[in-house]
Amino acid sequence: MTLAEENYLKAIYHLEQQFKKGVSTNALAEEMNTKASSATDMVKKLAEKKMVTHVPYQGATLSKAGRDYAVKVIRRHRLWEVFLVEKLNFSWDEVHEVAEHLEHINSDKLVNELDAFLEFPIYDPHGDPIPDKDGNFKTVEKIILAKAEIGFTYKCIGVDDTSSEFLKYLDSNSIGLGTIIKILHKEPFDNSIKLEIEDSEIVVSQSVAKNLYLKKV
Amino acid sequence: MTLAEENYLKAIYHLEQQFKKGVSTNALAEEMNTKASSATDMVKKLAEKKMVTHVPYQGATLSKAGRDYAVKVIRRHRLWEVFLVEKLNFSWDEVHEVAEHLEHINSDKLVNELDAFLEFPIYDPHGDPIPDKDGNFKTVEKIILAKAEIGFTYKCIGVDDTSSEFLKYLDSNSIGLGTIIKILHKEPFDNSIKLEIEDSEIVVSQSVAKNLYLKKV
DNA sequence: ATTATAATTTAGGCAAATCTAAAAATATGT
DNA sequence: ACATATTTTTAGATTTGCCTAAATTATAAT
Ligand SMILES: [Mn+2]
Ligand SMILES: [Mn+2]
Ligand SMILES: [Mn+2]
Ligand SMILES: [Mn+2]
């Protein structure tokens, strides 16, 4: 598996969560920051390698082998993110880019020893679950802030967007994993939401509301 | 700098130590396990990027920029080797291959934090010096076992060949960094050498004698 | 000083991953 | 149902790093 193939597998995996059907060429191209024609080429290559099934014009779906491989790359990515934060003083907005490269180093001993060194972490710095050596992980029960109910209290347990910009925004508003958030008001006009965080009130936009994962407490 | 370019720069750097003159195309091709025509192509590319100077038919020489870059990659390589041995339970014969990949991840923060996390090590697991953040490192005073003098006592401080086969051979003969070795006899017939190591005597071949670095004690 | 040998470069091609532009298939709206 | 819009695929190029085979240059031997 080449570096590009691994990145495409991961992208297809993530997109399958959203669009339950086959992953469309356009969606894949957008996720990979390439053109649709490039996505088509790669999907055909992955199909030849039995990593995806591809019905022309109907999108791509991961095979068992493809999903297993994607989970393996995701395991590496998230373990390296933990390493960077826990051991090398990276903040959660700095790890993604570097992990994007580290995830492609293919050595079982490396990954499994890293896992042990980190004492088998279950979540990465963004609240995402880390698959174990056999690819198993618990799916996290979570709702998006946009769908939280007024008057209830939630705990922040994850983010969808892991861009540096979004994470720095959260930092500057004292929002992180574990932060307790009470929903005060939802503004129908622009879908913004007023929150209470540690006795102070803030209003967040719709794009924030769609990228923050919560759990009822 | 691409991955291939970085590997070529490192190879040229290492070959410059031996052949003080320009590095020949054939030597470079052999080091890189490619063909001479490929080496020529890459040398021309590196020359365009001002990383080497290339006089056709006369070999390649690193420029200041090229040497600095090579040292940077070597720093990364050796730091990761220390990490693998010190933190992830790798043995000295397992680290090279993985470090060969890790060395290409280009993040100053990553490398400098790793350096600090490892408490600024000076030598890698094979006794090679680790350049600091500014590319400075002490050259190690060392002689090759083949040139050691009969009757004198030495300390093993490095290896030239870092292949798994050679390092495992050393392990099985209780030779490692720091091992004290007395030269008992040099056999002119096949250039083998009889050594005393911790009260036991062993005979090593010429190829071993050319790959072990010693320091008089 | 030629000639033979060895080293190096050039020429032409290939596979991976990308692109633009054009063609084909699917989806949508009235 | 059919024209239009959108999505997807194909066709043809490009770049990187590698190859083989052939031509060129340098080195060694007589
Ligand atoms: Mn990646
Ligand atoms: Mn993450
Ligand atoms: Mn390398
Ligand atoms: Mn080493």
Side-chain angles (χ1 to χ4, degrees):
Chain A
M1 285 290 125
T2 67
L3 189 145
E5 286 168 351
E6 289 187 348
N7 284 332
Y8 269 92
L9 281 182
K10 226 177 36 154
I12 296 168
Y13 180 91
H14 288 312
L15 291 168
E16 270 189 347
Q17 320 285 98
Q18 303 168 37
F19 313 92
K20 284 295 181 192
K21 298 293 168 55
V23 172
S24 80
T25 300
N26 266 358
L28 184 54
E30 195 187 351
E31 178 83 10
M32 294 299 299
N33 294 308
T34 58
K35 300 305 166 72
S37 53
S38 305
T40 299
D41 285 349
M42 183 56 85
V43 164
K44 286 163 76 173
K45 190 148 71 98
L46 291 173
E48 270 170 33
K49 294 195 174 188
K50 309 286 185 195
M51 288 289 166
V52 306
T53 55
H54 179 228
V55 183
Y57 297 97
Q58 299 301 129
T61 314
L62 288 174
S63 68
K64 172 81 165 61
R67 182 164 20 260
D68 287 350
Y69 202 104
V71 167
K72 194 170 164 166
V73 177
I74 288 167
R75 166 172 159 81
R76 294 185 204 146
H77 184 104
R78 294 179 181 167
L79 281 173
W80 281 116
E81 285 190 342
V82 172
F83 171 71
L84 295 173
V85 167
E86 297 287 314
K87 307 293 183 183
L88 300 195
N89 303 308
F90 278 61
S91 50
W92 72 337
D93 62 289
E94 297 174 308
V95 296
H96 187 78
E97 193 193 327
V98 178
E100 202 55 49
H101 297 284
L102 285 162
E103 72 187 359
H104 300 291
I105 292 171
N106 187 3
S107 158
D108 286 343
K109 168 143 179 135
L110 175 66
V111 176
N112 294 331
E113 290 283 353
L114 180 65
D115 196 9
F117 180 61
L118 299 171
E119 297 174 48
F120 306 103
I122 308 224
Y123 297 108
D124 86 353
H126 311 106
D128 293 312
I130 300 176
D132 70 14
K133 190 170 23 175
D134 302 315
N136 300 314
F137 60 96
K138 280 207 291 282
T139 51
V140 184
E141 288 290 323
K142 62 194 179 189
I143 65 158
I144 213 165
L145 167 56
K147 295 207 172 135
E149 297 166 63
I150 295 170
F152 286 87
T153 303
Y154 297 86
K155 179 160 75 173
C156 174
I157 58 162
V159 295
D160 188 39
D161 182 358
T162 59
S163 73
S164 186
E165 294 73 32
F166 179 53
L167 297 175
K168 276 180 176 156
Y169 166 86
L170 293 180
D171 282 343
S172 67
N173 285 96
S174 307
I175 302 175
L177 297 189
T179 301
I180 301 299
I181 292 172
K182 186 174 175 187
I183 313 298
L184 298 179
H185 176 69
K186 300 173 86 164
E187 176 56 50
F189 167 62
D190 62 359
N191 296 310
S192 64
I193 302 180
K194 189 191 282 184
L195 312 171
E196 183 183 303
I197 298 174
E198 286 177 22
D199 297 330
S200 67
E201 294 181 6
I202 66 166
V203 175
V204 299
S205 70
Q206 181 179 25
S207 35
V208 172
K210 290 200 292 193
N211 280 298
L212 207 59
Y213 292 123
L214 307 178
K215 190 177 77 174
K216 229 174 216 166
V217 290
Chain B
M1 286 289 127
T2 67
L3 188 144
E5 287 167 351
E6 290 187 347
N7 285 332
Y8 269 93
L9 282 182
K10 225 178 36 155
I12 296 168
Y13 180 91
H14 288 311
L15 290 169
E16 270 188 346
Q17 318 287 97
Q18 303 168 37
F19 313 91
K20 284 294 178 190
K21 298 293 168 53
V23 172
S24 79
T25 300
N26 266 358
L28 184 53
E30 194 187 352
E31 178 84 8
M32 293 300 297
N33 294 308
T34 58
K35 299 306 166 74
S37 54
S38 304
T40 299
D41 285 350
M42 183 56 85
V43 164
K44 285 164 77 174
K45 191 148 70 99
L46 290 172
E48 270 170 33
K49 294 195 173 187
K50 308 285 184 195
M51 289 290 165
V52 305
T53 56
H54 179 226
V55 183
Y57 298 98
Q58 299 300 128
T61 313
L62 288 175
S63 69
K64 172 80 164 61
R67 182 163 23 257
D68 287 351
Y69 201 106
V71 167
K72 194 171 165 167
V73 177
I74 288 166
R75 165 171 159 80
R76 294 185 204 146
H77 184 103
R78 293 179 182 167
L79 281 174
W80 281 115
E81 285 190 343
V82 172
F83 171 71
L84 295 174
V85 166
E86 297 287 314
K87 307 293 183 182
L88 299 196
N89 303 308
F90 277 61
S91 48
W92 71 339
D93 62 289
E94 297 174 306
V95 296
H96 187 78
E97 193 193 328
V98 178
E100 202 54 49
H101 296 284
L102 285 162
E103 71 187 0
H104 301 291
I105 294 171
N106 189 2
S107 159
D108 286 343
K109 168 144 179 134
L110 175 66
V111 175
N112 294 332
E113 290 284 352
L114 180 66
D115 197 10
F117 180 60
L118 298 171
E119 296 173 51
F120 306 102
I122 310 228
Y123 297 108
D124 86 353
H126 311 106
D128 292 312
I130 300 176
D132 70 13
K133 190 169 25 175
D134 302 314
N136 301 314
F137 59 97
K138 280 208 290 280
T139 52
V140 184
E141 289 289 323
K142 62 192 178 188
I143 66 159
I144 214 164
L145 168 55
K147 296 208 171 134
E149 297 167 63
I150 295 171
F152 286 87
T153 301
Y154 297 86
K155 179 159 75 172
C156 172
I157 59 163
V159 293
D160 188 40
D161 180 359
T162 59
S163 73
S164 187
E165 294 73 32
F166 179 55
L167 297 175
K168 276 181 178 154
Y169 166 85
L170 294 179
D171 282 342
S172 67
N173 285 96
S174 306
I175 302 175
L177 297 189
T179 302
I180 301 300
I181 292 172
K182 185 175 176 188
I183 314 298
L184 299 179
H185 176 71
K186 299 173 87 164
E187 175 56 52
F189 169 61
D190 62 358
N191 296 310
S192 64
I193 302 180
K194 191 190 280 183
L195 313 170
E196 183 184 300
I197 299 175
E198 286 177 22
D199 297 332
S200 68
E201 295 181 4
I202 66 165
V203 175
V204 300
S205 70
Q206 181 179 28
S207 35
V208 172
K210 289 201 292 194
N211 280 298
L212 206 58
Y213 291 124
L214 307 178
K215 189 177 77 174
K216 230 174 215 166
V217 290

